[in-house]
Amino acid sequence: IGDRTQAIGRQYSTYRYFFNRVFRFFIPKQVREIPDTQSGMKIFKREIAQKLFSNIKTLRWVFDLELLLMAKINNIGIDMIPVELEKKVETKSGVSFKKHSKEILKDLLKIYWYEKKGLYNFEKK
């Protein structure tokens, strides 16, 4: 997965950096060691991608967190590669803490529930 935290200089706004710190407090412990769960830059082997994506339960902002959690639970290795975004145009992110925090929290609670029920452990299925 791409890791923007290893880049020279911050790769996103102070606002986004702050709320990323808040968000990390709520994510499952298994994936807290991954510094950039939301980078969107992820590469999978085909068979692993098929397994993970076919078991995804959330379809919005935290689906990549869900993918990484499934990988951790099933002992699928995760390598982090430093990436640096080329800043071309100053745009706002599609995610707004004010607008989307309830939906994000709701999806995080779903992820905790699915994890507790063992739905992410492929060996139990």
Side-chain angles (χ1 to χ4, degrees), residues 2-26:
D3 181 2
R4 297 169 294 182
T5 65
Q6 296 181 39
I8 298 170
R10 190 176 294 153
Q11 292 281 289
Y12 35 86
S13 70
T14 303
Y15 170 85
R16 188 169 179 147
Y17 178 80
F18 173 76
F19 283 107
N20 182 49
R21 296 288 125 216
V22 172
F23 174 73
R24 294 191 62 70
F25 179 75
F26 292 100

Side-chain angles (χ1 to χ4, degrees), residues 7 12 29 32 39-43 57 60 65 70 83 88 97-98 105 109 115 117 123-125:
Y12 35 86
K29 289 180 183 178
R32 283 189 196 159
S39 76
M41 294 171 268
K42 297 167 181 65
I43 299 172
K57 313 238 181 283
R60 292 183 281 199
L65 177 69
M70 278 189 270
V83 295
K88 291 185 177 183
F97 182 74
K98 283 182 181 180
L105 183 58
L109 290 172
E115 177 196 6
K117 290 180 73 173
E123 291 181 16
K124 288 186 177 180
K125 290 186 172 188

Side-chain angles (χ1 to χ4, degrees), residues 24-87:
R24 294 191 62 70
F25 179 75
F26 292 100
I27 67 176
K29 289 180 183 178
Q30 298 95 313
V31 292
R32 283 189 196 159
E33 68 190 41
I34 300 170
D36 195 1
T37 59
Q38 304 305 112
S39 76
M41 294 171 268
K42 297 167 181 65
I43 299 172
F44 302 92
K45 290 180 179 177
R46 180 179 303 192
E47 62 276 2
I48 291 173
Q50 289 171 335
K51 189 69 170 174
L52 293 175
F53 280 94
S54 67
N55 284 285
I56 201 150
K57 313 238 181 283
T58 62
L59 300 174
R60 292 183 281 199
W61 300 283
V62 295
F63 81 92
D64 40 3
L65 177 69
E66 187 177 20
L67 291 171
L68 295 171
L69 179 60
M70 278 189 270
K72 286 296 228 175
I73 288 171
N74 292 284
N75 297 313
I76 297 169
I78 299 172
D79 292 321
M80 291 168 266
I81 300 168
V83 295
E84 191 167 331
L85 301 177
E86 183 177 320
K87 196 170 193 174

